[in-house]
């Protein structure tokens, strides 16, 4: 009966993409269900997976929206 | 102070619908709030309900996105 | 594939009880699964229910821990 | 390692707005991260914040969708 | 910035155990963080994992607490 | 109708403490409710706050349980 919830920012993993692709999502579903089978012996059919895509401006880290945080880190690493 | 969160796939419950209707959502809100009143004597005004609609490709069961799982089950039941 | 999460405070619904009973929890599970069947035609076997019990001091309403809020309301209603 | 999740209804805080603005979201991120620093001494860099915007018809209080509840309250206060 | 939440029932994966072991939990943390790196190229340091252990009587499937459901399935398979 | 969920590790903020104190929790409840009032003009009475305490071994960062991660960081900073 495991439930795996994966929250990711809505952004592409490569040029020209605006979000995770259906293939990437299927890989997350497959991989996390397999993990529960491998580690805790939970049958694949007993695991639910939910992927939640969070808009960039809705995700904060270090007290800043994540886009601002990244800009700041790029500047500081120059 | 109960909080009820209901996660459902974003899909219609009948032909020509792409998602749960406002009436269906209102019925979920009413029914789950009433349940907390009936079982635990929580006043309606103390219960919050949140409905989260999950895109079909973001929901996995049995290691597969839910649409693929259904196709596979239809094939195996023929 | 619905997932219903029910968050309640950990407290008894009657004298001498410190938490919801197993029977009350079973009633929440049965009732909320039935609701999804009645409203959205979801088979019972497709619905997961998770009950989360929240310690009284971990639940806030009106800017106060819920126990303090209740005391204040009792005073103000005298 | 704190994670703060803030669920709000998707509606504007002023005329002509349909949702919280990016500035308001940034203020929620900053304020809640700062709170964890002030109260529990958690470094800003250890705190994640997720803002979830819930459609009005997906949020219930008092057994009703929140828009209906507000209408009813306005009527009863006349 | 991914957050992975893994909800499992509090029960042992072998005789004499009452819950997942620290090693099993570490394997879930490692495996799910690695999955996000493999699939979406998210650095390990950007991923939080939270494991939530749900009491058996707090988890429902098929309209029943999960322990009752298992008993029923054993009977029906005889 | 905002709901604020604050997930923290179960550990003391000072010597001799094993968890956040009731006072610290009350400060989190007060501060986050006030934040919603300040930023989005939400009345205190419309905000619920839930604090979830996560066992140290149930929280992962950087692919490791959080206690192991801290040890590793201390070593690497010597």
């Amino acid at each position: 009966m495991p439930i795996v919830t994966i929250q990711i920012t809505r952004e592409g993993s490569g040029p020209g993409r605006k979000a995770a692709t259906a293939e990437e999502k299927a890989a997350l579903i497959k991989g996390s269900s397999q993990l529960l089978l491998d580690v805790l012996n939970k049958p694949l059919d007993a695991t639910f997976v939910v992927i939640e895509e969070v808009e960039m401006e809705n995700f904060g880290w270090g007290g800043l929206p994540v886009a601002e945080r990244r800009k700041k880190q790029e500047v500081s690493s120059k």
Side-chain angles (χ1 to χ4, degrees), chain A:
Chain A
M1 299 72 45
I3 303 171
V4 180
T5 305
I6 302 175
Q7 291 170 298
I8 52 174
T9 40
R10 197 191 303 274
E11 60 183 318
S13 58
R17 292 182 207 154
K18 291 193 173 169
T21 65
E23 287 70 29
E24 289 165 339
K25 291 173 182 179
L28 292 175
I29 289 168
K30 188 180 173 187
S32 54
S33 303
Q34 186 65 40
L35 182 67
L36 270 295
L37 174 57
D38 293 344
V39 176
L40 293 179
N41 205 27
K42 298 290 178 186
L44 291 182
D45 267 356
T47 296
F48 279 12
V49 182
V50 179
I51 299 169
E52 294 182 3
E53 297 174 272
V54 181
E55 299 298 329
M56 292 289 282
E57 70 179 28
N58 289 7
F59 208 114
W61 191 4
L64 292 172
V66 89
E68 278 187 51
R69 179 187 164 88
R70 289 186 191 162
K71 271 187 228 159
K72 209 174 134 186
Q73 286 184 319
E74 281 166 27
V75 171
S76 70
S77 67
K78 278 184 189 172

